[in-house]
Amino acid sequence: MRAVVVGASSGLGRCIGVGLAQRGARVAMLARRVDRLEKAAAEAGPGTLAIECDVTDDSSVAGAIAKAAADLGGIDALVYTPAIGPLARLADVEAHTWARMFATNVTGAALVTAAALPHLTASAGTALYLSSVSASQTPPWPGLSAYGVSKAALERLVHAWRVEQPGVNFTCCIVGDCAGGAGDGATGFADEWDWDLAAEFHPVWTARGLLAGSLLDVEDLVNAVDGVLRAGASVSTPTIVVTPRTTPPAPTA
């Protein structure tokens, strides 16, 4: 399997890129931060490619996908993982934040897919995109509503690609609470959050049952992604949901 993993320098993207390579795939890992990307590729093993790519820039995307396809000899699988999730009340989300978030979470996915489409069509390949339970599986999360809106748009985008391009297997992977791996594999999703604001919202999330009470093992996520990519059309599905088991309530006396 020749796989391109976008957003592979850190977090879940890094875990998936490394994990696919360690499971036998030939992987091209794409991201902006070349230093981290090269470390990830080295961990993934010999033959793994590290290719610089800014998903918000058309020419960067086109060049990176072209290089990945040329070096791999084609593309059988595409995994899109980049995401920005600002913590803010909807009334406080400014235009530049909306633009930055959609450029990464939605428009970037469209640009990458368009660039990879000829190669995926040629291989009857699979494209998989990471979404969140907050987009369609739960009520909106106060403080993360803007993020949920962008992920809902991503899910709609994936369905639209599926309708327009039936020769490619498009799947949206909806991920529950997951901390990722260790080191650069740990999620940086909350790195820019205001922690005083987070302290206000966390009790609300808990009270509304939005938190699972446990974290998904990242290896389970990688196994699920690997399985979907290798199965191709035989299990082609619009959506898979990968969430942790909820923590059972404590026994009462």
Side-chain angles (χ1 to χ4, degrees):
M1 181 172 66
R2 301 162 297 179
V4 174
V5 181
V6 185
S9 62
S10 64
L12 296 182
R14 188 186 197 279
C15 294
I16 291 170
V18 171
L20 292 179
Q22 292 177 343
R23 287 162 174 77
R26 295 173 57 203
V27 179
M29 304 177 76
L30 278 56
R32 287 183 301 109
R33 296 175 292 187
V34 177
D35 54 338
R36 289 194 178 192
L37 195 59
E38 290 175 343
K39 286 172 56 181
E43 181 181 335
T48 303
L49 306 173
I51 301 174
E52 183 176 5
C53 179
D54 180 352
V55 300
T56 67
D57 181 271
D58 299 70
S59 60
S60 176
V61 168
I65 293 296
K67 178 171 176 53
D71 291 353
L72 291 174
I75 300 173
D76 301 304
L78 171 69
V79 182
Y80 190 87
T81 72
I84 296 172
L87 182 71
R89 296 178 177 86
L90 276 176
D92 298 327
V93 181
E94 299 176 341
H96 71 89
T97 301
W98 280 109
R100 176 172 171 254
M101 181 172 55
F102 265 77
T104 298
N105 298 6
V106 185
T107 308
L111 296 178
V112 166
T113 305
L117 189 61
H119 309 289
L120 290 169
T121 301
S123 65
T126 298
L128 182 145
Y129 309 76
L130 296 191
S131 188
S132 165
V133 293
S134 64
S136 56
Q137 302 295 304
T138 71
W141 293 45
L144 286 174
S145 294
Y147 169 72
V149 167
S150 73
K151 284 298 189 179
L154 173 66
E155 292 184 15
R156 190 65 173 177
L157 173 67
V158 174
H159 283 284
W161 275 116
R162 189 177 179 87
V163 170
E164 290 197 9
Q165 301 292 335
V168 176
N169 309 304
F170 290 96
T171 296
C172 194
C173 179
I174 299 174
V175 183
D177 302 346
C178 184
D184 288 341
T187 180
F189 184 75
D191 285 354
E192 298 181 10
W193 284 8
D194 177 334
W195 288 102
D196 289 335
L197 192 58
E200 292 182 31
F201 285 124
H202 191 273
V204 178
W205 300 339
T206 301
R208 296 185 182 181
L210 300 176
L211 297 172
S214 60
L215 293 175
L216 174 68
D217 187 326
V218 72
E219 286 299 306
D220 291 338
L221 173 62
V222 176
N223 285 334
V225 170
D226 182 64
V228 169
L229 297 180
R230 291 186 184 279
S234 65
V235 294
S236 180
T237 177
T239 304
I240 64 169
V241 182
V242 187
T243 58
R245 294 179 180 175
T246 57
T247 301
T252 56

